């Protein structure tokens, strides 16, 4: 069997583990996905992660030279530990990098998942060719990564890029991060769904009432679809979330003066419903020179 030197990689999130191999060309091969329970205990989460990587090794002819983990949560790069992962509390403090290195007898590296996505977008994705790039993921939560002068900027400890935990509402509710009124609490998919359900529970009329009755839940994708169909409640909720996202992004433009902001994650799949107002907001409210420079594009 031909053996190809590759890195075995895993992406550990609150609801799933993705794994595969990456070769010198940066392409992901042998991709597999396993559902996981973010609320599970550490043993369950580790068993699922190991099972995913074991399956990749068993089904590929890879000669692994390293193992790389992208994990949700704030990471202490120096220790190889997740320090705070709101959607996967059981891994907080676990020495994931050392555990992987020991199990696979390989050098191990570990990154925050949004930082890893920023690197990928910069090397082989929408940000290719740029020197200064910001990546944002807007889904269940909001995460981000920073590329400065072609390099991933991670800060002193590895926690840089947590745009989801910048305060945009000084009178907002407290957050698990220790802050309050965070961007993530205002503009994530979770926030969009929660705000829609709140208005429905106050007796507001909307086509989303039917969705809630039939499915038992309303997702941000449901809200976006209803907004597209002209539903007033859905438009109010979605547009307000995107206005708040726009406020956050205008601040990023003023701080970083990036050439490009790449936005991924489930909420970005709504296309122009998100990108048009965000671009307009940045044009109107960020400094003129960096606002004229920056391109805001889908991942
Ligand atoms: Zn926060």
């Amino acid at each position: 069997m031909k053996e190809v030197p590759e890195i075995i990689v895993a992406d550990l999130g609150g609801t799933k583990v993705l794994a595969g191999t990456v070769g010198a060309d940066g392409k992901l091969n042998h991709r597999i996905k396993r559902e996981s329970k973010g609320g599970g205990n550490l043993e369950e989460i580790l068993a699922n992660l190991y099972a995913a990587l074991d399956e990749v090794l068993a089904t590929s002819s890879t000669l692994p030279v390293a193992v790389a983990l992208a994990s949700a949560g704030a990471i202490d790069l120096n220790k190889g530990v997740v320090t705070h992962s709101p959607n996967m509390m059981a891994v907080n403090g676990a020495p994931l990098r050392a555990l992987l290195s020991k199990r696979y007898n390989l050098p191990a590296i570990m990154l925050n998942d949004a930082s890893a996505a920023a690197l990928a977008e910069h090397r082989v994705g929408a940000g290719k060719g740029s020197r200064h790039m910001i990546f944002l993921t807007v889904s269940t939560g909001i995460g981000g990564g920073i590329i400065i002068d072609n390099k991933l900027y991670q800060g002193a400890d590895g926690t840089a890029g947590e745009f989801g935990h910048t305060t945009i509402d000084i009178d907002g509710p407290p957050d698990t991060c220790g802050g309050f009124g965070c961007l993530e609490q205002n503009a994530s998919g979770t926030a969009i769904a929660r705000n829609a359900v709140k208005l429905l529970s106050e007796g507001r009329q909307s086509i989303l009432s039917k969705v809630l009755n039939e499915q038992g839940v309303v997702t941000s994708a449901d809200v976006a679809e209803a907004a597209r169909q002209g539903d007033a409640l859905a438009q109010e909720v979605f547009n307000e979330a995107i206005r708040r996202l726009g406020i956050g992004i205008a601040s990023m433009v003023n701080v970083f003066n990036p050439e490009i902001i790449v936005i991924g994650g489930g909420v970005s799949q709504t296309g122009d419903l998100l990108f048009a107002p965000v671009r307009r907001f940045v044009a109107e409210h960020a400094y003129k020179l960096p606002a004229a420079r920056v391109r805001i594009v889908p991942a």
Side-chain angles (χ1 to χ4, degrees):
M1 195 187 287
K2 185 166 140 271
E3 289 194 324
V4 186
E6 287 185 309
I7 296 175
I8 51 171
V9 297
D11 177 3
L12 179 63
T15 58
K16 63 183 184 296
V17 177
L18 299 171
T21 64
V22 175
D25 59 2
K27 290 214 175 76
L28 180 68
N29 300 310
H30 306 103
R31 184 181 190 276
I32 65 147
K33 176 179 172 181
R34 291 177 67 94
E35 303 298 327
S36 65
K37 291 178 291 185
N41 61 37
L42 180 63
E43 284 69 32
E44 286 168 350
I45 292 170
L46 284 178
N48 212 27
L49 174 63
Y50 294 158
L53 287 167
D54 290 351
E55 189 182 332
V56 168
L57 285 172
T59 56
S60 69
S61 55
T62 290
L63 174 67
V65 293
V67 53
L69 176 68
S71 175
I75 286 170
D76 183 335
L77 271 190
N78 303 312
K79 294 180 181 158
V81 165
V82 177
T83 59
H84 179 81
S85 184
N87 301 315
M88 207 168 42
M89 294 296 266
V91 301
N92 291 351
L96 295 181
R97 188 174 64 199
L99 287 170
L100 285 175
S101 181
K102 189 163 176 232
R103 180 179 172 91
Y104 296 101
N105 196 24
L106 290 170
I109 53 172
M110 183 170 162
L111 282 180
N112 167 264
D113 53 2
S115 289
L119 258 186
E121 288 294 336
H122 181 251
R123 297 290 156 80
V124 293
K128 195 174 175 187
S130 68
R131 229 174 105 190
H132 307 293
M133 186 198 102
I134 299 293
F135 171 76
L136 260 191
T137 171
V138 186
S139 58
T140 314
I142 294 181
I146 304 162
I147 303 285
I148 297 177
D149 254 332
N150 289 321
K151 290 203 193 85
L152 180 68
Y153 175 78
Q154 295 178 280
D157 296 301
T159 67
E162 290 285 356
F163 296 118
H165 299 282
T166 49
T167 295
I168 60 154
D169 179 2
I170 198 162
D171 298 314
D175 192 17
T176 58
C177 68
F180 47 86
C182 292
L183 183 60
E184 178 170 295
Q185 291 173 294
N186 285 272
S188 62
T190 308
I192 291 168
R194 186 187 58 230
N195 291 339
V197 170
K198 181 165 175 286
L199 291 184
L200 290 174
S201 73
E202 290 168 4
R204 288 275 303 272
Q205 295 302 306
S206 164
I207 56 176
L208 288 169
S209 301
K210 187 162 172 278
V211 177
L212 184 61
N213 288 337
E214 283 172 3
Q215 301 178 1
V217 289
V218 167
T219 66
S220 61
D222 296 327
V223 179
E225 180 51 35
R228 248 184 234 293
Q229 290 176 29
D231 184 80
L233 179 148
Q235 286 180 344
E236 180 184 324
V237 167
F238 197 86
N239 293 348
E240 180 58 17
I242 300 307
R243 189 174 76 91
R244 288 169 183 244
L245 182 67
I247 293 168
I249 292 177
S251 298
M252 292 169 209
V253 169
N254 285 353
V255 173
F256 292 101
N257 183 198
E259 294 157 75
I260 185 166
I261 296 180
V262 179
I263 307 179
V267 178
S268 74
Q269 309 281 318
T270 56
D272 270 357
L273 218 49
L274 179 147
F275 285 93
V278 163
R279 287 179 187 129
R280 195 170 57 241
F281 203 91
V282 167
E284 287 171 2
H285 299 288
Y287 265 10
K288 296 300 167 228
L289 187 62
R293 151 81 63 174
V294 70
R295 289 188 300 126
I296 300 174
V297 303

